[in-house]
Amino acid sequence: MDVVCWLIAVIAFIILEAVTYQLVSVWFVIGSLGGLLAAALGANLGVQIVVFVIVSALMLVILRPLSMKLLKPKGLKTNVDGLIGEDVLITENVNNISETGKGRIKGMTWTVRSETGEEIPENTVATVLRIEGVKLIVKVKN
């Protein structure tokens, strides 16, 4: 009877993991398999529960950090990252001191600042070096 209960626990934890997608209960699936093995070997209920708790805790402590490291995105890229290195047409004079400057790139108007602090006149083509908040940091294209 204990084997059947552990088998039900394994299935329930698998279903829970499938529903959550968060590596929440996979550790308990492995722990339940430990309890199932203990029950199959004839251990009493107390030993089965201890095996379940120890195996689940060990899997959580040992494998969770490794799995989170492997599954973590390496750096979420956005569409904005695609603007870096692109040319931007300056549509309003860029002056970092007076905090003015606009540019148009891929059909969008952005606030623009010069990386070096130099003024950039309207109708100049510049290159996007990076993005800080909602501002394009540019340098004049040579």
Side-chain angles (χ1 to χ4, degrees):
M1 183 65 179
D2 290 343
V3 172
V4 173
C5 290
W6 285 112
L7 190 56
I8 291 170
V10 167
I11 293 168
F13 285 126
I14 288 172
I15 291 170
L16 181 62
E17 185 62 39
V19 171
T20 61
Y21 304 108
Q22 297 290 320
L23 293 179
V24 172
S25 62
V26 68
W27 326 113
F28 303 120
V29 171
I30 299 168
S32 295
L33 289 171
L36 177 74
L37 181 63
L41 294 174
N44 66 38
L45 183 60
V47 172
Q48 295 170 32
I49 292 172
V50 168
V51 168
F52 166 76
V53 170
I54 290 174
V55 170
S56 296
L58 282 174
M59 293 299 105
L60 183 64
V61 170
I62 295 169
L63 296 179
R64 189 168 198 283
L66 177 64
S67 63
M68 295 309 284
K69 183 178 178 183
L70 292 173
L71 296 176
K72 183 179 177 185
K74 299 294 183 220
L76 188 61
K77 288 201 167 219
T78 63
N79 291 340
V80 174
D81 293 326
L83 299 178
I84 296 172
E86 295 288 324
D87 291 342
V88 58
L89 175 64
I90 304 302
T91 58
E92 177 186 300
N93 292 339
V94 175
N95 185 317
N96 290 5
I97 295 171
S98 62
E99 297 183 348
T100 60
K102 298 232 183 270
R104 193 143 180 88
I105 184 170
K106 294 188 177 184
M108 297 177 286
T109 301
W110 285 78
T111 302
V112 177
R113 296 293 178 262
S114 169
E115 181 188 42
T116 61
E118 69 180 302
E119 290 188 32
I120 305 173
E122 187 176 341
N123 294 321
T124 303
V125 176
T127 303
V128 178
L129 300 176
R130 66 183 181 279
I131 300 168
E132 292 180 0
V134 294
K135 296 180 185 92
L136 300 178
I137 308 303
V138 303
K139 73 173 183 175
V140 175
K141 188 170 183 172
N142 295 329

